[in-house]
mmCIF file of all heavy atoms in Angstrom:
data_model
loop_
_atom_site.group_PDB
_atom_site.id
_atom_site.type_symbol
_atom_site.label_atom_id
_atom_site.label_comp_id
_atom_site.label_asym_id
_atom_site.label_seq_id
_atom_site.Cartn_x
_atom_site.Cartn_y
_atom_site.Cartn_z
ATOM 1 N N CYS A 11 24.567 -28.025 18.556
ATOM 2 C CA CYS A 11 23.927 -27.380 17.423
ATOM 3 C C CYS A 11 22.415 -27.372 17.647
ATOM 4 O O CYS A 11 21.829 -28.418 17.882
ATOM 5 C CB CYS A 11 24.272 -28.127 16.143
ATOM 6 S SG CYS A 11 23.592 -27.362 14.690
ATOM 7 N N LEU A 12 21.835 -26.218 17.562
ATOM 8 C CA LEU A 12 20.386 -26.120 17.742
ATOM 9 C C LEU A 12 19.729 -26.211 16.367
ATOM 10 O O LEU A 12 20.064 -25.474 15.458
ATOM 11 C CB LEU A 12 20.001 -24.807 18.386
ATOM 12 C CG LEU A 12 20.497 -24.589 19.804
ATOM 13 C CD1 LEU A 12 20.154 -23.186 20.266
ATOM 14 C CD2 LEU A 12 19.877 -25.605 20.727
ATOM 15 N N ARG A 13 18.805 -27.085 16.246
ATOM 16 C CA ARG A 13 18.096 -27.241 14.984
ATOM 17 C C ARG A 13 16.679 -26.699 15.155
ATOM 18 O O ARG A 13 15.948 -27.106 16.045
ATOM 19 C CB ARG A 13 18.019 -28.701 14.581
ATOM 20 C CG ARG A 13 19.347 -29.268 14.213
ATOM 21 C CD ARG A 13 19.158 -30.656 13.703
ATOM 22 N NE ARG A 13 19.894 -30.746 12.451
ATOM 23 C CZ ARG A 13 19.828 -31.770 11.643
ATOM 24 N NH1 ARG A 13 19.042 -32.774 11.922
ATOM 25 N NH2 ARG A 13 20.558 -31.803 10.553
ATOM 26 N N VAL A 14 16.309 -25.788 14.286
ATOM 27 C CA VAL A 14 14.976 -25.226 14.318
ATOM 28 C C VAL A 14 14.345 -25.505 12.979
ATOM 29 O O VAL A 14 14.896 -25.190 11.938
ATOM 30 C CB VAL A 14 15.023 -23.698 14.597
ATOM 31 C CG1 VAL A 14 13.627 -23.126 14.650
ATOM 32 C CG2 VAL A 14 15.788 -23.425 15.869
ATOM 33 N N ARG A 15 13.183 -26.109 13.004
ATOM 34 C CA ARG A 15 12.510 -26.461 11.761
ATOM 35 C C ARG A 15 11.560 -25.352 11.290
ATOM 36 O O ARG A 15 11.025 -24.603 12.093
ATOM 37 C CB ARG A 15 11.685 -27.744 11.960
ATOM 38 C CG ARG A 15 12.554 -28.976 12.028
ATOM 39 C CD ARG A 15 11.686 -30.203 12.088
ATOM 40 N NE ARG A 15 11.833 -30.769 13.440
ATOM 41 C CZ ARG A 15 10.936 -31.488 14.037
ATOM 42 N NH1 ARG A 15 9.808 -31.755 13.454
ATOM 43 N NH2 ARG A 15 11.159 -31.960 15.210
ATOM 44 N N ASP A 16 11.355 -25.295 10.002
ATOM 45 C CA ASP A 16 10.398 -24.381 9.366
ATOM 46 C C ASP A 16 10.631 -22.908 9.690
ATOM 47 O O ASP A 16 9.680 -22.141 9.808
ATOM 48 C CB ASP A 16 8.958 -24.774 9.752
ATOM 49 C CG ASP A 16 8.630 -26.179 9.297
ATOM 50 O OD1 ASP A 16 9.223 -26.608 8.277
ATOM 51 O OD2 ASP A 16 7.786 -26.812 9.935
ATOM 52 N N ASP A 17 11.871 -22.529 9.855
ATOM 53 C CA ASP A 17 12.179 -21.119 10.041
ATOM 54 C C ASP A 17 12.634 -20.528 8.717
ATOM 55 O O ASP A 17 13.498 -21.068 8.039
ATOM 56 C CB ASP A 17 13.302 -20.927 11.064
ATOM 57 C CG ASP A 17 12.763 -20.742 12.456
ATOM 58 O OD1 ASP A 17 11.538 -20.644 12.583
ATOM 59 O OD2 ASP A 17 13.567 -20.706 13.406
ATOM 60 N N GLU A 18 11.990 -19.417 8.370
ATOM 61 C CA GLU A 18 12.403 -18.720 7.160
ATOM 62 C C GLU A 18 13.358 -17.608 7.550
ATOM 63 O O GLU A 18 13.204 -16.989 8.612
ATOM 64 C CB GLU A 18 11.181 -18.120 6.434
ATOM 65 C CG GLU A 18 10.226 -19.158 5.934
ATOM 66 C CD GLU A 18 9.043 -18.543 5.224
ATOM 67 O OE1 GLU A 18 9.092 -17.331 4.919
ATOM 68 O OE2 GLU A 18 8.071 -19.248 4.993
ATOM 69 N N PRO A 19 14.322 -17.314 6.712
ATOM 70 C CA PRO A 19 15.220 -16.211 7.052
ATOM 71 C C PRO A 19 14.449 -14.894 7.049
ATOM 72 O O PRO A 19 13.529 -14.691 6.263
ATOM 73 C CB PRO A 19 16.261 -16.218 5.928
ATOM 74 C CG PRO A 19 15.653 -17.008 4.830
ATOM 75 C CD PRO A 19 14.668 -17.948 5.463
ATOM 76 N N SER A 20 14.818 -14.033 7.987
ATOM 77 C CA SER A 20 14.088 -12.762 8.087
ATOM 78 C C SER A 20 14.447 -11.882 6.879
ATOM 79 O O SER A 20 15.569 -11.882 6.406
ATOM 80 C CB SER A 20 14.427 -12.054 9.385
ATOM 81 O OG SER A 20 15.817 -11.763 9.396
ATOM 82 N N GLN A 21 13.450 -11.138 6.453
ATOM 83 C CA GLN A 21 13.659 -10.281 5.298
ATOM 84 C C GLN A 21 14.245 -8.950 5.741
ATOM 85 O O GLN A 21 13.900 -8.415 6.785
ATOM 86 C CB GLN A 21 12.328 -10.032 4.591
ATOM 87 C CG GLN A 21 11.696 -11.279 4.032
ATOM 88 C CD GLN A 21 10.356 -10.945 3.390
ATOM 89 O OE1 GLN A 21 9.887 -9.835 3.464
ATOM 90 N NE2 GLN A 21 9.769 -11.935 2.760
ATOM 91 N N VAL A 22 15.141 -8.443 4.926
ATOM 92 C CA VAL A 22 15.732 -7.166 5.240
ATOM 93 C C VAL A 22 14.685 -6.051 5.055
ATOM 94 O O VAL A 22 14.539 -5.172 5.882
ATOM 95 C CB VAL A 22 16.948 -6.887 4.349
ATOM 96 C CG1 VAL A 22 17.532 -5.510 4.653
ATOM 97 C CG2 VAL A 22 17.996 -7.956 4.541
ATOM 98 N N TYR A 23 13.941 -6.115 3.948
ATOM 99 C CA TYR A 23 12.880 -5.152 3.675
ATOM 100 C C TYR A 23 11.561 -5.906 3.619
ATOM 101 O O TYR A 23 11.151 -6.347 2.553
ATOM 102 C CB TYR A 23 13.123 -4.428 2.347
ATOM 103 C CG TYR A 23 14.384 -3.639 2.342
ATOM 104 C CD1 TYR A 23 15.487 -4.043 1.613
ATOM 105 C CD2 TYR A 23 14.491 -2.467 3.072
ATOM 106 C CE1 TYR A 23 16.663 -3.325 1.620
ATOM 107 C CE2 TYR A 23 15.655 -1.718 3.075
ATOM 108 C CZ TYR A 23 16.747 -2.160 2.343
ATOM 109 O OH TYR A 23 17.891 -1.441 2.342
ATOM 110 N N PRO A 24 10.905 -6.067 4.744
ATOM 111 C CA PRO A 24 9.640 -6.805 4.712
ATOM 112 C C PRO A 24 8.592 -6.029 3.892
ATOM 113 O O PRO A 24 8.642 -4.810 3.812
ATOM 114 C CB PRO A 24 9.218 -6.882 6.177
ATOM 115 C CG PRO A 24 9.901 -5.737 6.812
ATOM 116 C CD PRO A 24 11.187 -5.529 6.055
ATOM 117 N N GLU A 25 7.699 -6.776 3.293
ATOM 118 C CA GLU A 25 6.654 -6.132 2.511
ATOM 119 C C GLU A 25 5.752 -5.364 3.444
ATOM 120 O O GLU A 25 5.165 -5.918 4.353
ATOM 121 C CB GLU A 25 5.851 -7.173 1.732
ATOM 122 C CG GLU A 25 6.633 -7.795 0.601
ATOM 123 C CD GLU A 25 5.768 -8.692 -0.236
ATOM 124 O OE1 GLU A 25 4.568 -8.411 -0.325
ATOM 125 O OE2 GLU A 25 6.313 -9.652 -0.797
ATOM 126 N N GLY A 26 5.659 -4.105 3.184
ATOM 127 C CA GLY A 26 4.848 -3.253 4.051
ATOM 128 C C GLY A 26 4.433 -2.032 3.280
ATOM 129 O O GLY A 26 4.268 -2.073 2.066
ATOM 130 N N PRO A 27 4.277 -0.930 3.974
ATOM 131 C CA PRO A 27 3.836 0.280 3.274
ATOM 132 C C PRO A 27 4.875 0.719 2.251
ATOM 133 O O PRO A 27 6.041 0.843 2.551
ATOM 134 C CB PRO A 27 3.671 1.302 4.378
ATOM 135 C CG PRO A 27 4.148 0.681 5.630
ATOM 136 C CD PRO A 27 4.441 -0.743 5.381
ATOM 137 N N ARG A 28 4.421 0.919 1.067
ATOM 138 C CA ARG A 28 5.272 1.440 0.011
ATOM 139 C C ARG A 28 4.386 2.258 -0.920
ATOM 140 O O ARG A 28 3.187 2.148 -0.900
ATOM 141 C CB ARG A 28 5.956 0.317 -0.772
ATOM 142 C CG ARG A 28 4.990 -0.593 -1.491
ATOM 143 C CD ARG A 28 5.751 -1.685 -2.247
ATOM 144 N NE ARG A 28 4.814 -2.588 -2.841
ATOM 145 C CZ ARG A 28 4.293 -2.438 -4.067
ATOM 146 N NH1 ARG A 28 4.634 -1.410 -4.799
ATOM 147 N NH2 ARG A 28 3.427 -3.293 -4.555
ATOM 148 N N HIS A 29 5.007 3.091 -1.699
ATOM 149 C CA HIS A 29 4.228 3.902 -2.629
ATOM 150 C C HIS A 29 3.826 3.047 -3.812
ATOM 151 O O HIS A 29 4.682 2.563 -4.549
ATOM 152 C CB HIS A 29 5.038 5.110 -3.094
ATOM 153 C CG HIS A 29 5.424 6.041 -1.991
ATOM 154 N ND1 HIS A 29 4.581 6.376 -0.959
ATOM 155 C CD2 HIS A 29 6.554 6.729 -1.734
ATOM 156 C CE1 HIS A 29 5.160 7.203 -0.152
ATOM 157 N NE2 HIS A 29 6.377 7.429 -0.587
ATOM 158 N N PRO A 30 2.529 2.848 -4.002
ATOM 159 C CA PRO A 30 2.090 2.001 -5.101
ATOM 160 C C PRO A 30 2.281 2.700 -6.446
ATOM 161 O O PRO A 30 2.283 3.926 -6.531
ATOM 162 C CB PRO A 30 0.601 1.779 -4.821
ATOM 163 C CG PRO A 30 0.200 2.972 -4.033
ATOM 164 C CD PRO A 30 1.412 3.382 -3.237
ATOM 165 N N HIS A 31 2.464 1.916 -7.445
ATOM 166 C CA HIS A 31 2.531 2.449 -8.794
ATOM 167 C C HIS A 31 1.136 2.976 -9.125
ATOM 168 O O HIS A 31 0.144 2.406 -8.681
ATOM 169 C CB HIS A 31 2.928 1.322 -9.754
ATOM 170 C CG HIS A 31 3.273 1.811 -11.125
ATOM 171 N ND1 HIS A 31 2.335 1.916 -12.112
ATOM 172 C CD2 HIS A 31 4.444 2.231 -11.651
ATOM 173 C CE1 HIS A 31 2.911 2.381 -13.210
ATOM 174 N NE2 HIS A 31 4.200 2.577 -12.953
ATOM 175 N N PRO A 32 1.040 4.056 -9.909
ATOM 176 C CA PRO A 32 -0.296 4.637 -10.178
ATOM 177 C C PRO A 32 -1.301 3.632 -10.729
ATOM 178 O O PRO A 32 -2.478 3.721 -10.476
ATOM 179 C CB PRO A 32 -0.004 5.729 -11.191
ATOM 180 C CG PRO A 32 1.401 6.121 -10.937
ATOM 181 C CD PRO A 32 2.098 4.880 -10.465
ATOM 182 N N SER A 33 -0.816 2.654 -11.485
ATOM 183 C CA SER A 33 -1.764 1.677 -12.057
ATOM 184 C C SER A 33 -2.270 0.708 -10.988
ATOM 185 O O SER A 33 -3.226 -0.018 -11.233
ATOM 186 C CB SER A 33 -1.101 0.916 -13.180
ATOM 187 O OG SER A 33 -0.007 0.155 -12.682
ATOM 188 N N GLU A 34 -1.644 0.711 -9.815
ATOM 189 C CA GLU A 34 -2.055 -0.213 -8.753
ATOM 190 C C GLU A 34 -3.098 0.396 -7.823
ATOM 191 O O GLU A 34 -3.526 -0.230 -6.869
ATOM 192 C CB GLU A 34 -0.852 -0.642 -7.928
ATOM 193 C CG GLU A 34 0.173 -1.467 -8.696
ATOM 194 C CD GLU A 34 1.388 -1.791 -7.866
ATOM 195 O OE1 GLU A 34 1.420 -1.433 -6.676
ATOM 196 O OE2 GLU A 34 2.315 -2.391 -8.408
ATOM 197 N N LEU A 35 -3.519 1.632 -8.071
ATOM 198 C CA LEU A 35 -4.535 2.252 -7.228
ATOM 199 C C LEU A 35 -5.866 1.520 -7.376
ATOM 200 O O LEU A 35 -6.263 1.133 -8.474
ATOM 201 C CB LEU A 35 -4.723 3.720 -7.597
ATOM 202 C CG LEU A 35 -3.574 4.638 -7.290
ATOM 203 C CD1 LEU A 35 -3.875 6.028 -7.810
ATOM 204 C CD2 LEU A 35 -3.309 4.690 -5.809
ATOM 205 N N THR A 36 -6.537 1.364 -6.266
ATOM 206 C CA THR A 36 -7.825 0.674 -6.297
ATOM 207 C C THR A 36 -8.913 1.642 -6.725
ATOM 208 O O THR A 36 -8.725 2.856 -6.762
ATOM 209 C CB THR A 36 -8.151 0.115 -4.900
ATOM 210 O OG1 THR A 36 -8.307 1.213 -4.012
ATOM 211 C CG2 THR A 36 -7.086 -0.826 -4.412
ATOM 212 N N ALA A 37 -10.045 1.089 -7.030
ATOM 213 C CA ALA A 37 -11.189 1.927 -7.440
ATOM 214 C C ALA A 37 -11.616 2.858 -6.316
ATOM 215 O O ALA A 37 -11.961 4.018 -6.547
ATOM 216 C CB ALA A 37 -12.337 1.045 -7.857
ATOM 217 N N ARG A 38 -11.566 2.351 -5.081
ATOM 218 C CA ARG A 38 -11.951 3.185 -3.938
ATOM 219 C C ARG A 38 -11.004 4.370 -3.765
ATOM 220 O O ARG A 38 -11.427 5.478 -3.483
ATOM 221 C CB ARG A 38 -11.985 2.332 -2.695
ATOM 222 C CG ARG A 38 -12.397 3.109 -1.472
ATOM 223 C CD ARG A 38 -12.480 2.258 -0.238
ATOM 224 N NE ARG A 38 -12.823 3.107 0.895
ATOM 225 C CZ ARG A 38 -13.403 2.680 1.974
ATOM 226 N NH1 ARG A 38 -13.719 1.422 2.080
ATOM 227 N NH2 ARG A 38 -13.665 3.485 2.958
ATOM 228 N N GLN A 39 -9.710 4.095 -3.934
ATOM 229 C CA GLN A 39 -8.734 5.154 -3.776
ATOM 230 C C GLN A 39 -8.933 6.236 -4.836
ATOM 231 O O GLN A 39 -8.865 7.434 -4.546
ATOM 232 C CB GLN A 39 -7.315 4.605 -3.869
ATOM 233 C CG GLN A 39 -6.880 3.845 -2.632
ATOM 234 C CD GLN A 39 -5.549 3.157 -2.823
ATOM 235 O OE1 GLN A 39 -5.253 2.666 -3.916
ATOM 236 N NE2 GLN A 39 -4.737 3.130 -1.786
ATOM 237 N N SER A 40 -9.183 5.804 -6.052
ATOM 238 C CA SER A 40 -9.368 6.800 -7.112
ATOM 239 C C SER A 40 -10.669 7.588 -6.893
ATOM 240 O O SER A 40 -10.723 8.778 -7.147
ATOM 241 C CB SER A 40 -9.364 6.143 -8.486
ATOM 242 O OG SER A 40 -10.396 5.192 -8.597
ATOM 243 N N ALA A 41 -11.696 6.914 -6.360
ATOM 244 C CA ALA A 41 -12.952 7.625 -6.068
ATOM 245 C C ALA A 41 -12.741 8.627 -4.931
ATOM 246 O O ALA A 41 -13.227 9.766 -5.021
ATOM 247 C CB ALA A 41 -14.039 6.619 -5.667
ATOM 248 N N ASP A 42 -11.994 8.235 -3.907
ATOM 249 C CA ASP A 42 -11.722 9.148 -2.791
ATOM 250 C C ASP A 42 -10.945 10.366 -3.277
ATOM 251 O O ASP A 42 -11.219 11.501 -2.877
ATOM 252 C CB ASP A 42 -10.948 8.448 -1.684
ATOM 253 C CG ASP A 42 -11.779 7.453 -0.911
ATOM 254 O OD1 ASP A 42 -13.015 7.499 -1.044
ATOM 255 O OD2 ASP A 42 -11.191 6.608 -0.198
ATOM 256 N N LYS A 43 -9.991 10.123 -4.147
ATOM 257 C CA LYS A 43 -9.181 11.219 -4.680
ATOM 258 C C LYS A 43 -10.055 12.180 -5.506
ATOM 259 O O LYS A 43 -9.918 13.396 -5.388
ATOM 260 C CB LYS A 43 -8.073 10.639 -5.564
ATOM 261 C CG LYS A 43 -6.907 11.526 -5.758
ATOM 262 C CD LYS A 43 -5.779 10.772 -6.431
ATOM 263 C CE LYS A 43 -4.485 11.530 -6.335
ATOM 264 N NZ LYS A 43 -3.379 10.834 -6.910
ATOM 265 N N ARG A 44 -10.966 11.614 -6.282
ATOM 266 C CA ARG A 44 -11.855 12.441 -7.108
ATOM 267 C C ARG A 44 -12.786 13.275 -6.222
ATOM 268 O O ARG A 44 -13.035 14.452 -6.480
ATOM 269 C CB ARG A 44 -12.641 11.545 -8.055
ATOM 270 C CG ARG A 44 -13.420 12.296 -9.103
ATOM 271 C CD ARG A 44 -13.994 11.373 -10.145
ATOM 272 N NE ARG A 44 -14.880 10.383 -9.601
ATOM 273 C CZ ARG A 44 -14.656 9.062 -9.626
ATOM 274 N NH1 ARG A 44 -13.564 8.581 -10.171
ATOM 275 N NH2 ARG A 44 -15.521 8.230 -9.094
ATOM 276 N N ILE A 45 -13.293 12.665 -5.136
ATOM 277 C CA ILE A 45 -14.182 13.365 -4.219
ATOM 278 C C ILE A 45 -13.450 14.545 -3.573
ATOM 279 O O ILE A 45 -13.983 15.652 -3.505
ATOM 280 C CB ILE A 45 -14.736 12.413 -3.146
ATOM 281 C CG1 ILE A 45 -15.735 11.443 -3.784
ATOM 282 C CG2 ILE A 45 -15.376 13.166 -2.001
ATOM 283 C CD1 ILE A 45 -16.132 10.309 -2.898
ATOM 284 N N LEU A 46 -12.208 14.317 -3.126
ATOM 285 C CA LEU A 46 -11.443 15.407 -2.519
ATOM 286 C C LEU A 46 -11.180 16.521 -3.528
ATOM 287 O O LEU A 46 -11.250 17.699 -3.199
ATOM 288 C CB LEU A 46 -10.105 14.872 -1.988
ATOM 289 C CG LEU A 46 -10.193 14.021 -0.726
ATOM 290 C CD1 LEU A 46 -8.827 13.463 -0.364
ATOM 291 C CD2 LEU A 46 -10.756 14.838 0.418
ATOM 292 N N TYR A 47 -10.875 16.132 -4.760
ATOM 293 C CA TYR A 47 -10.624 17.110 -5.808
ATOM 294 C C TYR A 47 -11.864 17.976 -6.042
ATOM 295 O O TYR A 47 -11.778 19.200 -6.122
ATOM 296 C CB TYR A 47 -10.206 16.424 -7.102
ATOM 297 C CG TYR A 47 -10.105 17.363 -8.274
ATOM 298 C CD1 TYR A 47 -9.029 18.232 -8.388
ATOM 299 C CD2 TYR A 47 -11.075 17.387 -9.251
ATOM 300 C CE1 TYR A 47 -8.944 19.102 -9.464
ATOM 301 C CE2 TYR A 47 -11.004 18.240 -10.318
ATOM 302 C CZ TYR A 47 -9.927 19.102 -10.429
ATOM 303 O OH TYR A 47 -9.851 19.961 -11.490
ATOM 304 N N LEU A 48 -13.044 17.347 -6.116
ATOM 305 C CA LEU A 48 -14.268 18.094 -6.354
ATOM 306 C C LEU A 48 -14.625 18.987 -5.172
ATOM 307 O O LEU A 48 -15.137 20.098 -5.352
ATOM 308 C CB LEU A 48 -15.417 17.133 -6.660
ATOM 309 C CG LEU A 48 -15.319 16.440 -8.028
ATOM 310 C CD1 LEU A 48 -16.412 15.398 -8.176
ATOM 311 C CD2 LEU A 48 -15.387 17.433 -9.135
ATOM 312 N N ARG A 49 -14.349 18.522 -3.941
ATOM 313 C CA ARG A 49 -14.591 19.373 -2.769
ATOM 314 C C ARG A 49 -13.737 20.632 -2.821
ATOM 315 O O ARG A 49 -14.218 21.730 -2.571
ATOM 316 C CB ARG A 49 -14.280 18.607 -1.485
ATOM 317 C CG ARG A 49 -15.374 17.712 -1.024
ATOM 318 C CD ARG A 49 -15.031 17.113 0.307
ATOM 319 N NE ARG A 49 -15.920 16.037 0.645
ATOM 320 C CZ ARG A 49 -15.623 15.064 1.490
ATOM 321 N NH1 ARG A 49 -14.448 15.038 2.067
ATOM 322 N NH2 ARG A 49 -16.476 14.113 1.741
ATOM 323 N N ASN A 50 -12.464 20.438 -3.151
ATOM 324 C CA ASN A 50 -11.568 21.589 -3.217
ATOM 325 C C ASN A 50 -11.991 22.527 -4.340
ATOM 326 O O ASN A 50 -11.878 23.748 -4.210
ATOM 327 C CB ASN A 50 -10.113 21.127 -3.425
ATOM 328 C CG ASN A 50 -9.535 20.546 -2.163
ATOM 329 O OD1 ASN A 50 -9.977 20.873 -1.060
ATOM 330 N ND2 ASN A 50 -8.564 19.672 -2.301
ATOM 331 N N LEU A 51 -12.472 21.947 -5.425
ATOM 332 C CA LEU A 51 -12.939 22.760 -6.553
ATOM 333 C C LEU A 51 -14.119 23.633 -6.118
ATOM 334 O O LEU A 51 -14.179 24.818 -6.432
ATOM 335 C CB LEU A 51 -13.339 21.846 -7.702
ATOM 336 C CG LEU A 51 -13.383 22.428 -9.085
ATOM 337 C CD1 LEU A 51 -12.005 22.888 -9.497
ATOM 338 C CD2 LEU A 51 -13.868 21.389 -10.076
ATOM 339 N N ARG A 52 -15.049 23.015 -5.366
ATOM 340 C CA ARG A 52 -16.195 23.777 -4.868
ATOM 341 C C ARG A 52 -15.771 24.897 -3.942
ATOM 342 O O ARG A 52 -16.307 26.003 -4.003
ATOM 343 C CB ARG A 52 -17.150 22.838 -4.117
ATOM 344 C CG ARG A 52 -18.403 22.541 -4.894
ATOM 345 C CD ARG A 52 -19.409 21.817 -4.048
ATOM 346 N NE ARG A 52 -19.413 20.410 -4.452
ATOM 347 C CZ ARG A 52 -19.566 19.385 -3.641
ATOM 348 N NH1 ARG A 52 -19.748 19.587 -2.375
ATOM 349 N NH2 ARG A 52 -19.561 18.160 -4.091
ATOM 350 N N LYS A 53 -14.801 24.602 -3.051
ATOM 351 C CA LYS A 53 -14.303 25.630 -2.146
ATOM 352 C C LYS A 53 -13.682 26.806 -2.918
ATOM 353 O O LYS A 53 -13.938 27.960 -2.602
ATOM 354 C CB LYS A 53 -13.240 25.049 -1.206
ATOM 355 C CG LYS A 53 -13.793 24.163 -0.107
ATOM 356 C CD LYS A 53 -12.650 23.652 0.730
ATOM 357 C CE LYS A 53 -13.100 22.576 1.693
ATOM 358 N NZ LYS A 53 -11.971 21.997 2.424
#
């Protein structure tokens, strides 16, 4: 029997890229979105 210490079971869905809930958007993301919107408006 092989004993391995401090091993956590691997996750089936590791935390990684996912679509954030709209309330989780950062201030920078919302500013970038607003800038793109205004650029398109100008065009």
